[in-house]
Amino acid sequence: MYFSLFCTALFLCIQNVTGQGICNPGGNIIVYSNYDGGNLTININENIPNIRLGLCSYEDLHVTITGTYAGNIVEVLYAGYNNDGTTSVTGVDAGLVSILNFPPVYLYDPDGYPYMICAYECDTAYVPGGCNTVDQAIDYFSTELDGSIRYSYMQYGVWSGTYNMDAGGNCCYGATACAITVEAGQDAVICAGDSVQLNADGGSVFSWFPVSGLSDASMQNPYAYPETTTTYYVTGTDADGCSGVDSVTVYVEPLPVAGIYVSGDTLFATGGGTYQWLQDGTVITDATDDQYIPTENGNYSVIVTSPGGCSSESGIVVVLVNAITQANKYTVSVYPNPARDILHVETGIQDKDIMLKILDNNGRTLRVLTGIGSSTELFVDDLPSGMYFIELDIQGYKERIPFMRMAH
């Protein structure tokens, strides 16, 4: 009987200790996360050095830090939904607190959200439905905060009352059991509309995030073609199931807006750092100033290059050298080129009916407009990305001008 009672007491004691949910007794990172926010008081009643606090919620969260050892807190990071800006942390120096509005996660998980927004379920196999998985939340705070997870406390409901640090948490899910070093490669700079191949190393299976702007997010070395500057994260996993995360940023330089206009006998270019004039699509030797005086009839355009090294070509100006008034009358400009939504076509021609056609790259007519006059706007957002032509019929004189339709 005595032995039985002793064993029972010992079992209850052990059960009570493990029930606290201390993942790492030597850890210093504590995480509180839920869905419905609320008022959370955290009593720091353990003398643990360099305490770092991670917080996450979808609703307004107001945290008060108290306790004998509150001075041991060196960092507080809120990473969740804070669109109305009302989340607050008091009880520590404001300089120790960072409040982020749904930053991107580091661990891609098809069952979880791609940004830190809420985490409330301890079961790693549970699909949270719009929130983060527990492993995404723990991975995020383990990555952002220096140290290891002491405990995490996750729930769906509203925080209220005081939670003692020595009581631990309820989600004993710590750092990855094994980790590898994954490299995402060097940052890159591309011009808008271009692409660059990403180069990951360190694993056997790879997953990139975000997937937008990538040729294949499951490839080791996909091509990236983002429309704006984007940071891509890659998770690499080896044959033993060990994983690691790294990131690479693709900086997107905008294309210059190449402009061209006629004044007197001179063509002028705008929009760039350097210029190269073309006649009938052929480079004119040494014609690299921002102005050019044509000496022959032809279709003139200019390639404009920005200080960042990105180039675009202007629309075409039709020049008749022997009749400069005609040159002024037959000034054709198509911009922006490339175009996404709206294409502007300016002919500079008054009191004449002009027929305009949009042709595909094979010369097939896609659209016809008549009587457009000196200026018109074309909505091209319904066209697939690719090369097209504007064909103008000016009382029997036809001019065909190429343009590029870029996808959003």
Side-chain angles (χ1 to χ4, degrees):
M1 175 67 72
Y2 175 78
F3 179 76
S4 175
L5 289 174
F6 174 77
C7 289
T8 302
L10 179 62
F11 172 76
L12 290 174
C13 181
I14 293 174
Q15 187 181 44
N16 183 53
V17 172
T18 57
Q20 292 179 347
I22 303 292
C23 303
N24 181 358
N28 64 316
I29 300 173
I30 56 178
V31 176
Y32 287 87
S33 180
N34 76 338
Y35 182 88
D36 286 319
N39 298 297
L40 171 64
T41 299
I42 304 174
N43 179 30
I44 308 299
N45 61 345
E46 281 189 295
N47 189 13
I48 304 298
N50 299 320
I51 298 172
R52 300 176 189 271
L53 177 61
L55 305 168
C56 181
S57 184
Y58 186 74
E59 302 291 349
D60 295 350
L61 182 62
H62 305 282
V63 177
T64 301
I65 298 173
T66 63
T68 304
Y69 302 105
N72 288 6
I73 290 185
V74 296
E75 185 176 3
V76 180
L77 173 61
Y78 175 86
Y81 189 70
N82 185 43
N83 208 36
D84 56 4
T86 58
T87 288
S88 63
V89 177
T90 59
V92 295
D93 190 301
L96 301 179
V97 180
S98 298
I99 297 180
L100 306 181
N101 194 26
F102 52 90
V105 299
Y106 295 116
L107 178 64
Y108 172 72
D109 190 326
D111 293 332
Y113 201 67
Y115 298 88
M116 283 300 299
I117 193 167
C118 50
Y120 57 80
E121 175 61 49
C122 293
D123 183 358
T124 59
Y126 180 78
V127 179
C131 283
N132 304 106
T133 59
V134 58
D135 48 346
Q136 281 183 315
I138 295 302
D139 175 81
Y140 179 84
F141 289 112
S142 296
T143 302
E144 285 289 328
L145 301 176
D146 186 16
S148 60
I149 299 293
R150 182 173 180 80
Y151 69 79
S152 60
Y153 202 129
M154 298 189 184
Q155 69 170 32
Y156 186 87
V158 180
W159 292 117
S160 64
T162 299
Y163 290 76
N164 295 325
M165 180 177 176
D166 65 359
N170 64 343
C171 289
C172 201
Y173 184 81
T176 305
C178 56
I180 59 175
T181 299
V182 173
E183 299 289 344
Q186 298 295 315
D187 292 346
V189 180
I190 64 172
C191 298
D194 290 345
S195 64
V196 63
Q197 188 171 22
L198 304 181
N199 295 285
D201 195 15
S204 55
V205 178
F206 296 88
S207 177
W208 291 87
F209 175 83
V211 300
S212 59
L214 292 180
S215 59
D216 188 339
S218 64
M219 291 180 60
Q220 179 177 356
N221 303 319
Y223 283 90
Y225 45 90
E227 292 188 4
T228 59
T229 295
T230 303
T231 297
Y232 290 99
Y233 299 87
V234 61
T235 300
T237 306
D238 67 9
D240 297 321
C242 300
S243 63
V245 180
D246 196 20
S247 65
V248 61
T249 299
V250 179
Y251 297 92
V252 180
E253 289 280 344
L255 297 178
V257 179
I260 185 172
Y261 66 94
V262 181
S263 179
D265 63 350
T266 305
L267 303 177
F268 291 88
T270 60
T274 61
Y275 303 91
Q276 175 61 64
W277 290 92
L278 308 175
Q279 178 185 358
D280 298 327
T282 301
V283 169
I284 304 173
T285 304
D286 297 329
T288 56
D289 294 330
D290 62 354
Q291 54 187 277
Y292 181 73
I293 301 175
T295 59
E296 299 177 354
N297 295 345
N299 300 325
Y300 287 84
S301 60
V302 63
I303 296 175
V304 174
T305 302
S306 69
C310 297
S311 300
S312 61
E313 186 173 348
S314 72
I316 291 174
V317 170
V318 181
V319 173
L320 303 175
V321 173
N322 294 328
I324 195 64
T325 57
Q326 284 294 102
N328 284 329
K329 290 174 66 179
Y330 286 75
T331 299
V332 179
S333 180
V334 176
Y335 66 92
N337 193 0
R340 285 192 174 90
D341 299 315
I342 299 177
L343 190 68
H344 298 269
V345 179
E346 296 183 359
T347 65
I349 300 173
Q350 304 292 335
D351 303 325
K352 291 187 183 295
D353 289 334
I354 299 173
M355 178 183 290
L356 181 149
K357 294 181 180 180
I358 298 180
L359 311 177
D360 66 14
N361 202 29
N362 295 316
R364 292 175 294 199
T365 300
L366 304 179
R367 197 181 304 171
V368 178
L369 289 83
T370 59
I372 69 166
S374 62
S375 179
T376 191
E377 290 183 349
L378 301 176
F379 290 89
V380 296
D381 54 340
D382 60 331
L383 297 178
S385 59
M387 179 65 73
Y388 296 87
F389 293 92
I390 294 293
E391 183 178 274
L392 297 173
D393 188 332
I394 309 170
Q395 294 183 334
Y397 175 80
K398 292 185 178 181
E399 184 65 34
R400 186 174 290 187
I401 303 167
F403 76 93
M404 176 70 72
R405 161 74 170 91
M406 289 182 64
H408 286 282

